[in-house]
């Protein structure tokens, strides 16, 4: 009796096991037998296409499928076979988790998309020699070399290019936008200084140009950009005489908090701004309840376009800059949305093949293909402006998918969006030109402090919480001073500052 | 029998208060449902406060149903929720039944092994390696096999089976039933409440599969519904991440809130539909093990 029972139990496990593994077997595994070796022998025209495995993120509803026409076009033009694993980055931490799994399991594709060079696991693997140093190859890829030098410099590790950035324009990113039609209605000039800005908000609140209650001046979306206006620093670190200090310790930050407290106390910003979601900011801005918000130039246009259906007079103007104490400020974007790395296990011939694929993607032709698709199918040209078709959405053309890997550097990319009139496009280009003159780069892009990775988030959170409390009047500005004082004296924080500065000095020395 | 005035008064108050509490609990559901059918512009204009929409609109649903991925993903999720739940129940009840029989040797040892899985969480890299070595990457089964059973449910179910008298089993054996026969023909039918309760737990878990799919599935045609819904939500609100040009082609820009609500409706509706039918078992099922005899 007993024996029989055990046998049955064993049998059941076996049957179940084989059943499951049999089902699983069909799914994975294929695609390894590639034609990569075909590259070296002779210059025969009938070279077999190189299979390139890529892992990349995507941020649209549906990634391109394997038989996507744009993908096919890429393969045809570069003689490759692209095997792309698209991982949803709907929530950026999802992609990070997947990335960490891939990095630590050693299951690397031929080309790997990373969020940033500062990824700790990646840094460690680079030091172990798991990735190609691409610096010796790069000069032979002219389209890639068109990316701004700062972008290349900021993605170096120990002075070497282990990664190829996926470029984005430096200007046109999130900054304050205002309702130009409201300004005109009230006879106000476009604000240039932070005081003008304040007066404008006050006028918007008091005179209610849209007749709405409640009307606020500013949605407070991306209110950090105001901090930058006061501190003159883009991001957390500020270069003072060749040394980096935390911008929170800058006297300008204190001014900024007090300024925002004033806005809050006078009801110029929504009282629950601290807990509002992006969609709420947008709803507020697009329903005429607020006269200024923060947005990329391109995205702001989309909201405008939507508002036009109800009120064609709406006109959102992206500001070129705001100045404080006579110094104009507008932040500069870091210029890339991610980086691509090639693992060392890929043979050198194939590395060159991959680079030429990316170089094609960075050419005007390849960039257009990635962002707009095929002419006549995915877009049509109408007096110099590309008008996309429904097919473009179906085939996942655009920055949300192909644009995550391939990008032709175009400084005006953020100036344009579908449906835009020529006037708006030209004006946006002007704004971008203006911004380019004064834009502040983030000096600490790509710099790593190990201590900061481990302990830094705590400090940032403490300071942000305190800022919010002071702005909302729940704490005094003296409390902020005290907090700053204690963090400045904190040995761990001093260590973070020291490490960041070391990394900064090393970069300055290399880029001389 | 005639009720006294006091009793009637008490009943009225009772029903009144309970009714109000009921309405309060139902309101969020109602709100979600109504907003999902509201015209997006109306929603924006009213700053989100809507009791009854003036303009009904299915634009949020049209948007969600617009991709081919949606139907495929619903298929995947349904497959997970049905096949996965069936397999999970089978495995869980089989293990639990075995463990509940005192004549099984090494019972303690196995139980400790199961409890250990509850105490220590290895993170997601070891499971990934296991799934990869099993060749399940990019297969729907990778979403089922690693989560086939849960240690916690095995223990709960075991305590349920503990309450089935051994005498019943012995009687069956005398009548010539094998172990498997006893399991399928005697024990399982007696365990309907437990099966219903755990079935619902498993079904909800499978229906909500998200994270494992992010890790194990490469082919977008095989991802479950939650991923597709998530992507669509983000797609409709992408902005600062470097959105541009072709991402927004449709000239109907739908505020995200109504889409979110529609997604909530779609993703909870199946569970809401199943729930009433399982509820009578459910109350019995979750009580199991609470009375020691």
């Amino acid at each position: 009796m007993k024996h029989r029972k055990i046998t049955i139990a064993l049998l059941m496990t076996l049957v179940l096991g084989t059943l499951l593994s049999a089902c699983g077997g069909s799914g994975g595994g294929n695609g390894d037998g590639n034609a990569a070796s075909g590259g070296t022998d002779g210059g025969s025209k009938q070279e077999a296409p190189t299979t390139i495995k890529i892992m990349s993120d995507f941020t649209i509803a549906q990634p391109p499928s394997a038989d996507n026409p744009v993908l096919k076009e890429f393969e045809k033009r570069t003689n490759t076979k692209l095997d792309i694993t698209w991982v949803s980055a709907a929530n950026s931490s999802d992609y990070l988790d997947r990335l960490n799994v891939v990095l630590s399991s050693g299951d690397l594709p031929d080309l790997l998309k990373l969020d940033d060079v500062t990824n700790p696991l990646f840094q460690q693997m680079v030091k172990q020699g798991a990735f190609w140093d691409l610096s010796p190859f790069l000069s032979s890829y002219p389209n890639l070399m068109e990316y701004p030098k700062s972008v290349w410099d900021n993605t170096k590790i120990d002075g070497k290019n282990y990664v190829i950035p996926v470029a984005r324009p430096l200007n046109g990113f999130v900054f304050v936008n205002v309702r130009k039609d409201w300004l005109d209605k009230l006879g106000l000039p476009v604000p240039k200084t932070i005081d003008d800005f304040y007066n404008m908000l006050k006028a918007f609140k008091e005179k209610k140009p849209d007749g709405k209650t409640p009307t606020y001046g500013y949605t407070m979306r991306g209110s950090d950009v105001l901090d930058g206006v006061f501190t003159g620093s883009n991001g957390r670190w500020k270069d003072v005489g060749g040394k980096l200090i935390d911008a929170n310790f800058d006297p300008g930050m204190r001014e900024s908090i007090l300024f925002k407290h004033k806005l809050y106390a006078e009801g110029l910003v929504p009282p629950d701004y601290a807990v509002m979601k992006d969609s709420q900011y947008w709803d507020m801005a697009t329903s005429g309840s607020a006269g200024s918000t923060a947005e990329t130039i391109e995205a702001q246009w989309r909201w405008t376009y939507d508002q036009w259906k109800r009120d064609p007079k709406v006109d959102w103007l992206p500001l070129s800059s705001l100045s404080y104490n006579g110094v104009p400020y507008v932040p500069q974007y870091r210029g890339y949305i991610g980086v691509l790395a090639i693992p060392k296990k890929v043979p050198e011939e194939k590395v060159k093949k991959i680079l030429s694929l990316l170089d094609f993607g960075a050419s005007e032709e390849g960039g257009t293909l990635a962002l707009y698709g095929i002419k006549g199918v995915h877009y049509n040209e109408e007096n110099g402006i590309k008008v996309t078709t429904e097919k473009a959405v179906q085939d996942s053309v655009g920055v949300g998918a192909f644009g995550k890997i391939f990008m032709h550097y175009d400084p005006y990319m953020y100036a344009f969006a579908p449906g835009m009139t020529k006037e708006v496009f030209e004006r946006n280009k002007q704004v971008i030109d203006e911004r380019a003159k004064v834009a502040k780069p983030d000096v600490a892009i790509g710099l790593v402090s190990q201590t900061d990775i481990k302990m830094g988030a705590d400090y940032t959170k403490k300071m942000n919480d305190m800022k919010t409390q002071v702005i909302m009047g729940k704490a005094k500005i003296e409390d902020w001073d005290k907090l700053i004082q204690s963090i400045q004296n904190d040995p761990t924080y001093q260590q973070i500052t020291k490490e960041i500065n070391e990394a900064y000095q090393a970069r300055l020395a290399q880029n001389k | 029998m005639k009720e006294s005035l006091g009793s009637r008064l008490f009943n009225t108050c009772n029903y009144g208060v309970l009714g109000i509490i009921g309405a309060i609990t139902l309101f969020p559901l109602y709100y979600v449902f109504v907003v999902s059918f509201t015209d997006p512009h109306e929603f924006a204009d009213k700053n989100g406060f809507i009791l009854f929409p003036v303009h009904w609109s299915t634009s949020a649903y049209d948007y969600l149903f617009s991709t081919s991925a949606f139907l495929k993903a619903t298929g995947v999720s349904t497959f997970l929720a049905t096949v996965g739940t069936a397999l999970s129940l089978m495995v869980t009840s089989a293990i639990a039944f075995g463990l509940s029989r005192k004549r099984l040797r090494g019972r303690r040892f196995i139980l400790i092994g199961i409890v250990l899985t509850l105490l220590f969480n290895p993170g997601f890299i070891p499971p990934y390696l296991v799934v990869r070595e099993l060749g399940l990457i990019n297969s729907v089964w990778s979403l089922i096999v690693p989560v086939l059973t849960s240690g916690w449910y095995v223990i709960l179910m075991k305590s349920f089976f503990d309450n089935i008298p051994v005498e019943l089993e012995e009687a069956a054996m005398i009548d010539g039933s094998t172990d498997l026969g006893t399991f399928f023909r005697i024990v399982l039918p007696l365990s309907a409440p437990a099966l219903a309760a755990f079935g619902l737990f498993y079904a909800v878990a499978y229906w909500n599969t998200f994270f494992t799919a992010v890790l194990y599935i490469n082919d977008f045609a095989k991802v479950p519904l939650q991923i597709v819904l998530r992507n669509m939500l983000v797609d409709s609100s992408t902005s600062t991440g470097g959105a541009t040009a072709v991402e927004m082609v449709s000239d109907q820009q739908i505020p995200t809130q109504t889409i979110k609500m529609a997604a909530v409706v779609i993703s909870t509706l199946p569970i809401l539909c199943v729930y009433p039918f399982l509820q009578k078992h459910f109350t019995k099922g979750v009580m199991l093990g609470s009375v020691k005899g």
Side-chain angles (χ1 to χ4, degrees):
Chain A
M1 211 49 168
K2 227 166 222 171
H3 282 294
R4 207 203 294 162
K5 193 185 65 192
I6 294 171
T7 344
I8 286 169
L10 272 175
L11 262 176
M12 262 182 81
T13 351
L14 257 176
V15 168
L16 204 69
T18 35
L19 234 170
L20 295 175
S21 54
C23 294
S26 58
N30 46 2
D32 260 342
N34 55 31
S37 50
T40 39
D41 48 352
S44 65
K45 289 246 162 112
Q46 294 297 313
E47 239 178 282
T50 316
T51 302
I52 299 174
K53 282 188 158 189
I54 304 174
M55 182 175 123
S56 170
D57 55 337
F58 73 95
T59 50
I60 48 174
Q62 205 173 355
S65 58
D67 55 357
N68 184 289
V70 176
L71 191 72
K72 288 276 165 249
E73 192 67 23
F74 262 107
E75 292 180 341
K76 207 171 83 193
R77 306 255 194 114
T78 54
N79 192 28
T80 51
K81 171 93 191 54
L82 301 180
D83 176 3
I84 308 180
T85 300
W86 296 101
V87 180
S88 160
N91 180 348
S92 58
S93 72
D94 294 342
Y95 188 76
L96 272 182
D97 287 338
R98 174 70 181 251
L99 185 65
N100 287 336
V101 163
V102 165
L103 285 174
S104 44
S105 70
D107 214 5
L108 302 171
D110 300 328
L111 185 65
L112 181 66
K113 174 81 180 285
L114 296 137
D115 47 322
D116 195 3
V117 280
T118 56
N119 184 305
L121 203 52
F122 177 65
Q123 288 259 342
Q124 193 189 331
M125 289 177 79
V126 164
K127 304 232 153 91
Q128 289 163 357
F131 288 92
W132 276 96
D133 171 16
L134 302 166
S135 332
F137 305 116
L138 287 176
S139 54
S140 30
Y141 300 96
N143 294 320
L144 288 173
M145 292 322 283
E146 269 178 39
Y147 292 176
K149 186 170 176 298
S150 70
V151 172
W152 283 108
D153 287 345
N154 289 341
T155 50
K156 277 181 185 169
I157 298 175
D158 298 335
K160 290 176 182 162
N161 291 107
Y162 288 94
V163 295
I164 306 126
V166 182
R168 284 291 186 270
L170 292 169
N171 292 299
F173 214 58
V174 181
F175 195 61
V176 175
N177 302 324
V178 301
R179 280 286 291 270
K180 180 78 168 51
D181 54 319
W182 283 15
L183 285 175
D184 293 346
K185 209 171 186 177
L186 303 174
L188 290 166
V190 175
K192 291 236 161 25
T193 69
I194 199 81
D195 293 326
D196 295 347
F197 182 63
Y198 169 76
N199 292 333
M200 177 194 81
L201 299 186
K202 222 171 157 58
F204 282 175
K205 160 93 182 169
E206 280 159 9
K207 301 191 179 138
K208 300 191 197 315
D210 246 15
K212 278 231 181 192
T213 19
T215 302
Y216 300 108
Y218 181 40
T219 57
M220 277 297 249
R221 181 167 192 269
S223 63
D224 306 356
V225 292
L226 292 186
D227 294 344
V229 176
F230 285 95
T231 61
S233 138
N234 177 0
R236 179 164 156 209
W237 300 98
K238 181 180 180 182
D239 182 326
V240 182
K243 284 198 87 181
L244 294 186
I245 63 150
D246 192 320
N248 284 306
F249 305 155
D250 190 89
M253 185 60 79
R254 197 173 187 273
E255 292 301 310
S256 174
I257 296 172
L258 288 175
F259 179 75
K260 282 193 258 184
H261 173 63
K262 188 165 71 171
L263 298 189
Y264 184 88
E266 295 180 18
L268 302 179
V269 297
D272 49 354
Y273 81 93
V275 292
M276 274 165 58
K277 301 217 170 62
D278 265 350
S279 57
Q280 288 171 288
Y281 292 118
W282 291 326
D283 284 347
M284 190 170 276
T286 54
S287 65
S289 309
S292 67
T293 186
E295 191 55 85
T296 67
I297 294 184
E298 176 275 334
Q300 188 67 66
W301 159 253
R302 286 194 263 129
W303 309 129
T304 312
Y305 186 58
D306 185 44
Q307 272 180 289
W308 273 7
K309 274 172 252 158
R310 282 171 289 164
D311 181 4
K313 278 196 245 68
V314 172
D315 182 14
W316 281 97
L317 174 74
L319 292 185
S320 314
S321 66
L322 278 174
S323 50
Y324 170 69
N325 283 348
V327 187
Y329 170 87
V330 64
Q332 191 176 69
Y333 185 47
R334 64 176 182 169
Y336 63 96
I337 51 140
V339 294
L340 297 159
I342 304 174
K344 203 74 189 205
K345 62 160 196 189
V346 177
E348 189 169 334
E349 273 312 306
K350 201 169 171 185
V351 171
K352 288 183 178 155
K353 194 78 199 167
I354 295 174
L355 286 174
S356 58
L357 166 75
L358 293 175
D359 192 57
F360 172 72
S363 68
E364 190 164 358
E365 194 189 352
T368 309
L369 188 57
L371 288 199
Y372 300 96
I374 301 160
K375 191 170 181 178
V377 181
H378 299 112
Y379 73 92
N380 296 304
E381 209 135 328
E382 283 167 26
N383 40 16
I385 287 179
K386 294 188 180 73
V387 180
T388 48
T389 62
E390 279 293 314
K391 191 94 173 69
V393 186
Q394 282 165 27
D395 287 337
S396 318
V397 183
V399 284
F402 292 111
K404 299 281 179 190
I405 310 175
F406 307 111
M407 178 55 60
H408 167 63
Y409 185 75
D410 172 9
Y412 296 121
M413 183 178 128
Y414 284 133
F416 178 72
M420 200 176 261
T421 62
K422 194 121 191 167
E423 295 79 57
V424 178
F425 183 42
E426 290 304 321
R427 191 177 75 180
N428 284 344
K429 272 162 85 171
Q430 259 177 23
V431 169
I432 283 175
D433 286 340
E434 296 269 307
R435 284 189 185 184
K437 285 181 216 151
V438 292
K440 277 262 180 211
D442 179 348
V443 285
I445 303 169
L447 300 182
V448 182
S449 149
Q450 290 301 332
T451 316
D452 187 43
I453 289 170
K454 283 187 212 114
M455 338 260 276
D458 241 21
Y459 296 98
T460 317
K461 186 176 179 312
K462 259 190 216 159
M463 288 191 267
N464 284 342
D465 286 352
M466 182 56 82
K467 277 183 207 168
T468 312
Q469 284 189 357
V470 177
I471 292 169
M472 298 180 80
K474 290 190 179 138
K476 296 218 157 51
I477 191 74
E478 287 77 29
D479 298 327
W480 166 258
D481 296 337
K482 247 182 258 162
L483 178 74
I484 291 303
Q485 190 74 40
S486 77
I487 291 178
Q488 268 175 318
N489 294 330
D490 189 320
T492 315
Y493 208 81
Q494 286 168 349
Q495 179 67 20
I496 294 176
T497 315
K498 190 171 146 248
E499 284 171 15
I500 279 285
N501 269 295
E502 280 164 9
Y504 188 53
Q505 296 308 330
R507 170 178 292 168
L508 288 181
Q510 275 151 13
N511 292 346
K512 237 165 219 166
Chain B
M1 198 174 92
K2 209 167 176 259
E3 274 181 285
S4 71
L5 182 72
S7 153
R8 257 191 295 167
L9 201 69
F10 173 74
N11 275 342
T12 325
C13 287
N14 215 357
Y15 283 127
V17 170
L18 288 177
I20 291 170
I21 294 176
I24 291 172
T25 26
L26 279 180
F27 181 72
L29 290 177
Y30 167 80
Y31 180 76
V32 165
F33 185 77
V34 160
V35 168
S36 75
F37 279 104
T38 303
D39 183 69
H41 295 305
E42 188 185 336
F43 182 80
D45 284 343
K46 289 193 181 164
N47 279 327
F49 187 77
I50 280 171
L51 274 183
F52 196 79
V54 183
H55 305 285
W56 292 83
S57 155
T58 54
S59 60
Y61 289 92
D62 293 343
Y63 172 75
L64 287 179
F65 284 110
S66 64
T67 45
S68 61
F70 185 86
L71 284 178
K72 270 189 204 147
T74 315
V76 171
S77 281
T78 315
F79 176 81
L80 287 179
T82 51
V83 177
T85 306
L87 286 175
S88 284
L89 280 180
M90 199 128 115
V91 171
T92 310
S93 56
I95 300 175
F97 180 63
L99 288 174
S100 72
R101 298 301 96 169
K102 299 231 161 47
R103 59 204 157 92
L104 179 72
R105 258 185 282 169
R107 201 162 75 104
R108 263 218 122 80
F109 182 72
I110 301 174
L111 260 177
I112 290 173
I114 290 174
V115 172
L116 283 183
T117 66
L118 298 178
L119 298 177
F120 300 104
N121 179 3
F124 46 80
I125 288 164
Y128 179 84
L129 293 176
V130 171
V131 168
R132 193 187 64 181
E133 293 308 313
L134 287 174
L136 292 182
I137 292 290
N138 206 15
S139 152
V140 179
W141 293 100
S142 66
L143 306 179
I144 295 180
V145 177
V147 290
L148 204 49
T149 186
S150 132
W152 180 235
Y153 294 165
V154 165
I155 288 170
L156 282 180
M157 208 152 191
K158 174 193 161 289
S159 57
F160 183 87
F161 288 142
D162 281 341
N163 295 335
I164 297 178
V166 194
E167 290 76 11
L168 203 63
E169 202 188 328
E170 280 167 357
M173 260 183 213
I174 288 165
D175 288 343
S177 169
T178 60
D179 275 329
L180 269 185
T182 316
F183 178 61
F184 281 113
R185 291 165 63 185
I186 313 265
V187 176
L188 283 190
L190 281 173
S191 318
L195 291 181
F198 291 113
L200 187 68
F201 290 152
Y202 277 121
V204 171
Y206 279 117
W207 183 257
N208 288 338
T209 298
F210 176 76
F211 184 64
T212 48
V214 171
L215 292 185
Y216 305 142
I217 302 292
N218 297 336
D219 186 351
F220 200 72
K222 293 178 188 161
V223 298
L225 187 61
Q226 307 300 337
I227 289 197
V228 172
L229 286 179
R230 177 71 158 278
N231 285 338
M232 297 186 110
L233 286 184
V234 172
D235 177 34
S236 66
S237 66
T238 308
S239 138
T240 43
T244 184
V246 197
E247 270 178 340
M248 276 317 306
V249 180
S250 73
D251 56 352
Q252 166 107 47
Q253 167 93 53
I254 304 160
T256 57
Q257 216 62 23
T258 54
I259 295 176
K260 266 184 204 158
M261 296 304 173
V264 170
V265 170
I266 290 174
S267 52
T268 47
L269 205 61
I271 300 294
L272 276 183
C273 291
V274 178
Y275 199 83
F277 300 102
L278 290 177
Q279 208 216 3
K280 55 177 178 178
H281 299 299
F282 196 69
T283 40
K284 219 160 144 197
V286 281
M287 301 251 290
L288 58 95
S290 56
V291 180
K292 305 282 184 292

